[in-house]
Amino acid sequence: MRKKSSAPFIILSCALILSLSAVAQDMKYSNRNTLPEIGVVASDAISLDKEMIIGDAVMRQMRGQSPIIADPVLDEYLQDLGNRLVVHADNAKFPFQFFWVNNDAINAFAFFGGHIGVHAGLMRRADNESELASVLAHEISHVTQRHIARRMQAQKRASPLALASLIGGVLIAIANPQAGMAAMQAGSAASAQLQIDYTRSNEQEADRIGIAMLARAGFDPKGAASFFSTMAEEYRMVSRPPARLLTHPLTETRIADARNRANDYPRRYLPINKQFELAKARIKSRYSFDADYSLEYYQAAVEQQAQRSREASLYGLTLAYMRNEENKKAQKILDELLEKDPTNLFYLDAATDIYIALGEPLKAVEMLKPHVTHNPRNQVLALNQANALISAQKYDDAIILLKDFLLVKKDYQVAYQMMSEAYQKAKRFSQMHQSKAEVYALYGAYNRAVDELQYAYNFAGDNHLQKQRIRARIKQFRDQEDRLERL
């Protein structure tokens, strides 16, 4: 099961907010190894509470205007990987949210409030899970070290006007991303040397802390250096490096430093991670390749004799057959995969989609039932079961399942979209409009959310309790909008 935004792509990355206007130059790092004292660092520039408010607002903006991949299977994998790192991070002040961006650039980015985005293109080029984890650890370190807030503090010391421009640019970007990026760039142009010096410190610090985190979490600490080397080699001869190299410049010094730091930890020789290989195959087959090429690519991969992950190739071929509406061929492969690994979420998700495509959603319901009973709030199982129930016209059952899921994951837009569909098909129009309002609110479109609630109010009839709840939710949305304006 998958849903994705098709809106234009706009990125608000930690690196962009740090205004790296001169990062294409060959920079040498400072030899200073002492970490700055954190905790109260930059607290007078921006508080943790305000950072979370801004981060939430930017995330809502991105949902509405960026090609974020809303794919429960990939989301589950990425969040699990990120959480395995975060538990070994110091100074993690809030829950982290990891998400995918449907863009083939090699890039990842962090911004206020523990939000970390990963481009599909970065996953496609990573050779193993330690390399992917090294990028996440680096971005987590940007957040835990509060590099954005510290950048603001540095700007405040240099010029209060520059700081005002930088904060203003972030807030403008909530309403008008293009204007916001221009404002941030203009606001920091007056202190170019400060930007360069501060960026060197940020990157060195994030590398050092990230590699330590990587080792503590059980990954190969050499993952960072190997990924650096792969990127540097691939783009050595190109005139314009990818976004990742522009915002995180790779010098020979930085690569050597990563290797040296990794040598401080025991080398880990990890087996091929099946979940990583399956996630990579899903990225390629569903998002990176077009339908025809995906089929050709995975047919060739399966035919190759020597493969490091035959199951991932078979899974990629299954998805390619599904994209080309050859569902019977897909089902034949998937039945064999499920026989060997009956609880694998990647396989259960694909099997659900195949049953629905073949007009047999009740088979999907029965297949998923024992898994949902065992783990009712897992997003892959719950949302696939809800999707199958809606397809089987069991709308009330789907609604009950989705309500229960949203109690623990209240900001998952796919669930609200499915809830809206279930209410619409059940002809429960007041609830349908309330669900649509929640979707608009997740995009930061509070005016449209209020409009949907007004429609819901009109459909509520004599249900006074429901009308009271709708009025209360309208007030909450307006209060949220006012809070952002006051920032």
Side-chain angles (χ1 to χ4, degrees), residues 34 57 144 148 163 188 208 233 316 357 365 396 408 448 459 461 469:
T34 56
T144 59
I148 300 174
L163 174 63
S188 57
R208 177 172 53 249
E233 183 63 32
V365 172
D396 290 340
V408 294
R448 298 191 69 175
F459 276 107
R469 288 174 178 168

Side-chain angles (χ1 to χ4, degrees), residues 410-425:
K410 61 181 180 179
D411 289 342
Y412 206 69
Q413 66 192 70
V414 175
Y416 281 115
Q417 289 167 342
M418 293 176 66
M419 181 91 81
S420 180
E421 179 184 359
Y423 279 132
Q424 181 180 22
K425 291 183 175 179

Side-chain angles (χ1 to χ4, degrees), residues 435-448:
S435 297
K436 283 187 175 182
E438 298 301 328
V439 174
Y440 282 125
L442 288 175
Y443 295 156
Y446 292 112
N447 286 335
R448 298 191 69 175

